[in-house]
Amino acid sequence: MTRIRLTVLALAMSLAASSAGAADKIKVVTTIPDLADMTRNIGGDLVDVTSIATGVEDIHAVPMKPSFAVQLNKADVVVLMGLEMEHAFLPGLLDAARNPKIMRDAPGYIDASAYIIPLDVPQRIDRALGDQHPMGNPHVNLDPVRGKDLARAIADGLSRNYPEHADQFKTNLDAYLAKLDAAIARWEKEAAPLKGKKLVSYHPDMVYFADRFGLKPVGTIELRAGVDPTPSHVAELEDMMRRDKVEIVVREISYPAGLAESVAQSTGAKLVELPVMTGGAPDATDYISFIDHNVRTMLGAVQGGT
Ligand SMILES: [Zn+2]
């Protein structure tokens, strides 16, 4: 009797230890915090998630640290935005990590853009010209409706790798989508004053946000994605902005402030500083608060006068 009791106790203790231990969780590495937050919502207690970027970086130039390769070496799955957004760092890190589970085309390589139809797909791809958006615009995370498609692709990717947990992932996904839907209904109401406003941004990363909330992106300070502006480009841009009465200049936080400020000043437009990822502002701690931050910041600029 005592021996059985002891055996049961030992078994219970080992079960408790293993279910509580991070060692048994599905180890997920995501490229950006937006995808990390979605994966935590979908994976719940089953996942242990880390993100490579913190949200303040230029996503096309995230520095490759050896610690990222170590994390990827131990990962069960990697979740990325795709559309070549992580081209600057992810292929190199995956080579260094030597983890067959998460190499491109392996089941553990979860492309969150799988259900996205990208905007701005170029007619001709020429990396030699420095184009950072060869597959179309990858900044999908700025639109919360397309964000739902990112979440669905993550849930499907997790279920493909762990079919035994598919029901749990589906339940968690549905709860998260319901939360997101409620927030989207609120944002669409709040953002009504943004409709029809023209904007220029430093980098072409506002197209999905603009598409959702009815703004019109009419130009960029960069010559094109990843190509620095020339003085003649800036002069032409400013002429166009004065002529077309462009009201907003967006300076994404990883881009230089000086030029965006002078473009705004010389054209009478309002300068708006925005994060382009979750974690890019102190109050943008998860995906919903990130979209909240951007909608409210943009509204503040439009309604603030000047
Ligand atoms: Zn970009």
Side-chain angles (χ1 to χ4, degrees), residues 280-300:
D283 62 341
T285 52
D286 58 20
Y287 185 60
I288 289 179
S289 58
F290 159 63
I291 302 290
D292 256 330
H293 178 94
N294 282 5
V295 168
R296 285 174 189 172
T297 306
M298 199 69 103
L299 273 172

Side-chain angles (χ1 to χ4, degrees), residues 9-244:
L9 186 66
L11 188 63
M13 282 171 65
S14 76
L15 278 176
S18 69
S19 67
D24 284 346
K25 297 198 179 196
I26 301 163
K27 285 195 255 331
V28 185
V29 175
T30 70
T31 52
I32 65 171
D34 311 58
L35 302 176
D37 178 46
M38 290 176 184
T39 306
R40 283 187 194 106
N41 274 282
I42 296 160
D45 289 343
L46 297 167
V47 294
D48 178 30
V49 187
T50 55
S51 171
I52 291 174
T54 62
V56 298
E57 301 88 342
D58 170 2
I59 193 58
H60 300 302
V62 175
M64 288 197 273
K65 293 185 194 159
S67 62
F68 298 149
V70 173
Q71 285 170 7
L72 286 167
N73 174 263
K74 294 177 187 157
D76 296 307
V77 299
V78 62
V79 178
L80 64 146
M81 177 65 82
L83 299 171
E84 301 290 321
M85 183 159 95
E86 297 96 340
H87 183 81
F89 61 101
L90 190 61
L93 287 173
L94 287 176
D95 275 350
R98 296 169 181 274
N99 179 348
K101 286 197 281 190
I102 60 166
M103 296 304 272
R104 197 167 193 146
D105 300 324
Y109 184 92
I110 300 176
D111 182 341
S113 69
Y115 306 140
I116 299 293
I117 298 162
L119 298 176
D120 300 346
V121 178
Q123 305 281 323
R124 196 171 63 97
I125 296 167
D126 195 346
R127 275 205 185 281
L129 295 174
D131 199 328
Q132 291 175 332
H133 297 170
M135 310 289 291
N137 198 301
H139 297 278
V140 177
N141 57 311
L142 281 100
D143 169 15
V145 175
R146 289 177 175 88
K148 289 165 58 180
D149 286 332
L150 301 177
R152 285 191 192 98
I154 296 170
D156 289 349
L158 289 172
S159 297
R160 187 171 69 231
N161 285 273
Y162 300 94
E164 68 275 26
H165 298 309
D167 288 349
Q168 188 62 59
F169 296 143
K170 177 81 173 76
T171 304
N172 294 348
L173 171 70
D174 288 346
Y176 183 61
L177 293 182
K179 219 167 111 180
L180 210 45
D181 272 332
I184 288 165
R186 177 168 56 79
W187 291 320
E188 286 187 333
K189 230 182 266 173
E190 286 174 358
L194 301 180
K195 284 215 167 57
K197 301 286 180 192
K198 292 176 187 161
L199 73 89
V200 158
S201 55
Y202 201 101
H203 180 75
D205 46 15
M206 288 291 138
V207 295
Y208 296 101
F209 182 87
D211 182 51
R212 182 56 46 208
F213 297 113
L215 294 123
K216 292 185 178 154
V218 293
T220 58
I221 294 176
E222 277 186 329
L223 208 47
R224 61 181 168 277
V227 181
D228 285 338
T230 57
S232 66
H233 169 71
V234 172
E236 280 170 31
L237 182 76
E238 290 178 345
D239 282 348
M240 178 276 286
M241 289 176 65
R242 285 186 207 104
R243 200 174 54 236
D244 292 353

